[in-house]
Amino acid sequence: MARPTLITTALPYANGSIHLGFLLEAIQTDVFARALRMEGEEVVFVSADDTHGTPIELNARKEGVTPEAFVERFAKEHVEDLAAFGVEFDAFHSTNSEENRRWAEEIYGKLKERGVVERRNTEQLFDPKAGRFLPDRFVKGTCPVCKTPDQYGDVCENCKSTYEPTQLIDPYSAISGARPEIRESEHLFVKLDAFEAFLRDWTSTPGRLQPEVKNFVDSWLENGLQDWCISRDGPYFGFEIPDAPGKFFYVWLDAPIGYISATEAWAQRSGIERLDQIWRQKDARVIHVIGKDIIYFHTLFWPAMLQAAELKVPDHVHAHGMLMVDGVKMSKSRGTFLLARTFREHLEPEILRWYFGSKLGPGIDDIDLSLDELVQRVNAEMVNNLVNLVSRGASFLKNKLDGRYSELPDAFAPLRAEVEAATARARRAYAEWNPAVAVRAALDLADAGNRLFQERTPWTVAKSDPDEARRIVTMASNLARAAAVLMAPVVPRLATRIYGVLGLEGAPERFDEALRFDLVERPVGQPVRLAERIDRKTVDRMLEATRKAHGAVDPGEGGKSSKTSEKGATAPADGPETSRITIDDLDKIDLRVGVVVEARSVEGADKLLQLRVDVGEAEPRTIFAGIAKAYPEPATLVGRRVVVVANLAPRKMRFGTSEGMVLAAGPGGTDIQLLSVDEGALPGSIVK
């Protein structure tokens, strides 16, 4: 049997809906899994719902349902939401399963056999108002080390120190707000320091941890490992400990075991011997992808449990940063605590994959979802660059050149070399957890294809040499195909649609397909709309829906400063008075970057020039502009980047039909200047 790679996401907690913070991790992991498969590796991609613990028990009680029914509802929703964003697990299981119970009891038994489990009476925090002992995450207070307030009872989010809940300064119950009392209760502890030598060796193995993560772990090891309490008092939704009636396994003991039980769920379909191959025979590579807030559990507790049970320890634990929205933590009041379901009700899920893919690197820095940048990147990079290249090539062949590709002459060898270099760069980037570099490599190829269109003007060449025009478009389409292959792990559905338009069947399966250059002497596919541009208004509607769902008030409501009366508004003292428009009026105007590919005088109209302007469509547009007196030598305008009003209704003139307007400044005549755009802006890019 081949040596597989098992890759996992952390387990989403079955206490609520999937939000964009978890999608950041799920999409990143899915991208990595797809990239490995495109290298020909066998990948087993699994996860599970984390279903146990006090929060679920309490919330189920509030809703008047059993915890089992509560988690089952969210399990169904989680699977649907993750699938909608193209996250394709080989198995998605649950920690509330018999497999998980069996594995938890086995690992607990191995810990006892090794002599590292100890029973002792401890002082626990008890909520007198709620009438129950408090798990560490249900106690908050001031960190005893750095004095940061509002920290949980196990780990400080600020200084990363670990401690017992009883060490918190000014603790309070997160359930009732009451000040807890200290009471005694017997609990089970794992003597984690018994694993210190193993953990030092395991964490020091090259490639095991990112450098930043290794620094965290080293500091914990240097400060000494504390015994780990693995039991909780009832009432508690979880597995009762076999030899400790009334005590339950702490959720952080059975939660990561979900990785094993999810593997078993997959193996039930694939052959149960595969389970043993991965976890008992250790003939596999195991990779966990987690948020940086749970590093402690995955780099100390979890490998210690596996080593004691003689099971496979992870080869790599890959941590990522948290998701920010517009530079701050996700906020319900701002409407930025975005749920997967709300996002996909307003926007195509593939665009979030594109955005995350273009931002993710190998480190653990936080990722900022800038909503303005989301709009800009999707429109400028995904739609105006890659999608436009595919669409304009397919449309040109279909409409002008009998719908067939030509051969590829040796003259295009330098472009082939560009594809080879970009493919190598992208493959290396995916392997190094750096999809942003891979996305850039793909976009470089799309740029090259658009430049080929722009510089070789096949619509002009076709008039005198249709065979050469066909060769130009054929090469541009092969560049588009290569870009789609390199993008496939990030936007698999878009890549599949692109294959169809190009005339290929199925979806990209191997990175080597980027190097085939086999779109030759065969029919092109049927042009269809591959992706839609998005606008900020759609994003704002999504934010508003989020605010309403959380019962929040728009931050702009209720204050005098949030609105300005238009009564008595005056024009600037040094400028002409103008009528005011709303943002909705402005959004009606579709401004695009265009490149002038042809300019000539119009016989019988001394004020007009006839321009042919490439705005990223299959053919340039004809635009008549009243700028002849300012530009007496029209040829000087060729290659100029201009701003085009792209959604202006065509206007029939006696010289022809004008298909837009170019923007210019000045009173007219010889005193007028075309508005220009910096080099690098692609034809069709939206002007905002």
Side-chain angles (χ1 to χ4, degrees):
M1 289 184 292
R3 185 174 187 263
T5 294
L6 178 75
I7 183 168
T8 74
T9 65
L11 279 57
Y13 201 42
N15 193 37
S17 300
I18 295 290
H19 55 72
L20 265 56
F22 181 73
L23 273 180
L24 173 70
E25 177 174 306
I27 289 172
Q28 178 180 17
T29 314
D30 184 78
V31 168
F32 184 66
R34 288 177 185 273
L36 289 179
R37 289 190 177 110
M38 290 188 70
E39 294 289 10
E41 293 194 33
E42 181 189 9
V43 176
V44 182
F45 181 25
V46 302
S47 192
D49 264 338
D50 180 5
T51 59
H52 291 155
T54 301
I56 286 171
E57 178 249 321
L58 290 173
N59 285 328
R61 183 188 301 176
K62 287 179 184 177
E63 292 197 7
V65 299
T66 65
E68 290 82 1
F70 185 84
V71 299
E72 180 62 29
R73 171 164 64 88
F74 281 113
K76 182 175 182 294
E77 183 182 309
H78 289 181
V79 169
E80 290 174 353
D81 283 345
L82 291 166
F85 284 84
V87 180
E88 294 186 355
F89 293 105
D90 293 291
F92 189 85
H93 206 44
S94 168
T95 59
N96 191 45
S97 64
E98 283 307 307
E99 297 96 331
N100 221 55
R101 182 194 299 274
R102 177 167 25 85
W103 281 103
E105 291 178 357
E106 176 180 331
I107 291 172
Y108 170 64
K110 293 290 187 180
L111 289 166
K112 287 200 303 178
E113 286 177 17
R114 182 155 173 178
V116 295
V117 177
E118 181 180 87
R119 294 172 182 258
R120 61 173 182 258
N121 286 332
T122 64
E123 292 184 333
Q124 299 281 309
L125 294 180
F126 184 87
D127 184 336
K129 190 172 181 179
R132 61 187 301 152
F133 284 99
L134 294 171
D136 44 29
R137 287 267 155 165
F138 275 76
V139 185
K140 299 191 79 174
T142 299
C143 171
V145 179
C146 70
K147 307 302 187 290
T148 300
D150 289 323
Q151 297 304 303
Y152 289 111
D154 53 356
V155 179
C156 175
E157 292 181 327
N158 181 54
C159 71
K160 311 302 179 188
S161 297
T162 61
Y163 40 73
E164 292 299 319
T166 52
Q167 294 177 273
L168 281 174
I169 300 169
D170 297 326
Y172 63 91
S173 167
I175 298 174
S176 69
R179 185 176 182 85
E181 299 173 354
I182 295 179
R183 297 189 184 182
E184 275 201 353
S185 181
E186 184 182 72
H187 280 284
L188 304 177
F189 288 80
V190 170
K191 293 182 282 187
L192 199 57
D193 60 358
F195 298 91
E196 182 176 344
F198 157 71
L199 289 171
R200 285 186 180 277
D201 179 67
W202 180 79
T203 58
S204 298
T205 302
R208 190 82 75 197
L209 305 174
Q210 296 139 287
E212 309 98 315
V213 175
K214 177 71 164 52
N215 290 337
F216 285 148
V217 177
D218 284 348
S219 68
W220 292 326
L221 288 168
E222 290 305 315
N223 290 332
L225 298 175
Q226 300 180 30
D227 292 348
W228 175 35
C229 182
I230 61 170
S231 61
R232 290 295 184 268
D233 291 292
Y236 194 83
F237 181 49
F239 297 139
E240 192 169 21
I241 300 174
D243 58 356
K247 304 292 180 181
F248 295 80
F249 284 128
Y250 174 39
V251 65
W252 268 110
L253 182 134
D254 75 70
I257 292 171
Y259 301 140
I260 305 177
S261 61
T263 310
E264 182 170 343
W266 164 78
Q268 293 289 350
R269 303 190 301 273
S270 309
I272 198 65
E273 71 277 1
R274 305 303 303 277
L275 173 71
D276 286 343
Q277 178 193 6
I278 293 172
W279 288 105
R280 296 196 191 278
Q281 299 167 13
K282 308 173 187 178
D283 185 21
R285 183 168 62 140
V286 173
I287 298 173
H288 298 312
V289 182
I290 61 168
K292 64 182 179 181
D293 57 328
I294 53 175
I295 289 172
Y296 193 89
F297 302 101
H298 281 80
T299 59
L300 296 175
F301 297 166
W302 177 232
M305 288 166 55
L306 293 170
Q307 198 261 355
E310 300 178 322
L311 297 172
K312 170 71 179 177
V313 295
D315 294 273
H316 180 62
V317 175
H318 187 84
H320 61 82
M322 300 295 100
L323 180 68
M324 314 290 278
V325 177
D326 284 339
V328 295
K329 284 186 177 182
M330 290 195 296
S331 163
K332 292 181 179 179
S333 64
R334 291 189 182 93
T336 57
F337 190 84
L338 294 166
L339 300 180
R341 187 145 300 193
T342 308
F343 188 98
R344 66 188 177 96
E345 286 172 354
H346 292 82
L347 296 166
E348 165 61 42
E350 199 88 335
I351 72 172
L352 188 68
R353 292 184 66 105
W354 179 284
Y355 184 82
F356 282 162
S358 70
K359 299 280 282 188
L360 282 164
I364 65 171
D365 292 336
D366 292 339
I367 302 295
D368 183 29
L369 170 56
S370 164
L371 296 173
D372 283 336
E373 185 186 21
L374 172 73
V375 174
Q376 188 275 332
R377 275 188 181 273
V378 168
N379 291 340
E381 296 176 347
M382 191 176 91
V383 180
N384 289 347
N385 192 345
L386 177 60
V387 166
N388 251 7
L389 175 61
V390 175
S391 298
R392 73 198 304 199
S395 297
F396 195 84
L397 287 172
K398 201 78 172 177
N399 298 330
K400 302 292 184 181
L401 299 169
D402 304 321
R404 291 189 65 83
Y405 297 107
S406 71
E407 83 287 355
L408 283 175
D410 292 340
F412 289 126
L415 286 174
R416 286 174 177 257
E418 281 189 43
V419 173
E420 291 171 2
T423 302
R425 192 160 72 250
R427 295 171 87 158
R428 185 167 58 252
Y430 282 124
E432 295 173 351
W433 296 89
N434 201 351
V437 170
V439 169
R440 187 65 259 168
L443 286 173
D444 286 345
L445 297 183
D447 284 343
N450 280 302
R451 283 198 306 274
L452 189 62
F453 254 95
Q454 181 181 326
E455 294 169 2
R456 301 288 290 273
T457 61
W459 51 84
T460 302
V461 174
K463 297 173 183 177
S464 57
D465 191 349
D467 289 339
E468 175 61 13
R470 192 190 308 272
R471 286 190 285 270
I472 294 168
V473 180
T474 296
M475 187 63 216
S477 296
N478 277 274
L479 289 168
R481 188 269 189 87
V485 170
L486 301 189
M487 284 288 189
V490 175
V491 281
R493 292 169 181 165
L494 176 60
T496 301
R497 293 196 295 269
I498 287 173
Y499 256 37
V501 171
L502 293 175
L504 296 164
E505 293 186 359
E509 295 181 352
R510 295 287 187 272
F511 285 124
D512 288 342
E513 293 173 34
L515 307 174
R516 287 182 182 169
F517 302 100
D518 58 355
L519 293 180
V520 293
E521 299 179 327
R522 60 192 292 176
V524 71
Q526 183 63 40
V528 298
R529 292 192 72 82
L530 290 166
E532 299 292 339
R533 294 178 176 87
I534 58 175
D535 60 40
R536 179 65 204 214
K537 288 189 294 184
T538 305
V539 173
D540 290 339
R541 286 194 291 269
M542 176 178 67
L543 296 179
E544 180 60 24
T546 300
R547 277 192 290 268
K548 289 180 179 177
H550 294 300
V553 176
D554 187 320
E557 294 179 358
K560 291 183 179 179
S561 61
S562 66
K563 297 181 180 179
T564 302
S565 171
E566 294 183 3
K567 183 178 180 180
T570 58
D574 57 350
E577 184 174 340
T578 60
S579 60
R580 295 183 181 273
I581 65 172
T582 68
I583 191 67
D584 290 336
D585 294 325
L586 182 62
D587 282 338
K588 294 176 182 176
I589 304 172
D590 185 7
L591 300 178
R592 301 293 173 89
V593 173
V595 176
V596 179
V597 297
E598 184 181 326
R600 63 184 180 86
S601 301
V602 178
E603 186 175 352
D606 59 356
K607 295 181 181 180
L608 290 180
L609 293 183
Q610 181 176 328
L611 308 178
R612 294 273 284 164
V613 184
D614 178 9
V615 290
E617 298 167 339
E619 291 189 60
R621 296 190 185 194
T622 297
I623 297 176
F624 290 95
I627 56 174
K629 292 187 179 296
Y631 297 95
E633 296 182 18
T636 61
L637 295 176
V638 175
R640 180 88 170 260
R641 281 174 168 75
V642 295
V643 179
V644 176
V645 181
N647 62 341
L648 190 67
R651 181 186 176 193
K652 288 186 178 181
M653 309 172 72
R654 63 189 178 94
F655 314 105
T657 300
S658 186
E659 301 170 306
M661 176 187 291
V662 292
L663 298 188
T670 59
D671 189 10
I672 192 168
Q673 294 83 34
L674 284 173
L675 298 188
S676 296
V677 181
D678 287 345
E679 291 291 325
L682 292 173
S685 298
I686 293 176
V687 178
K688 285 286 189 182

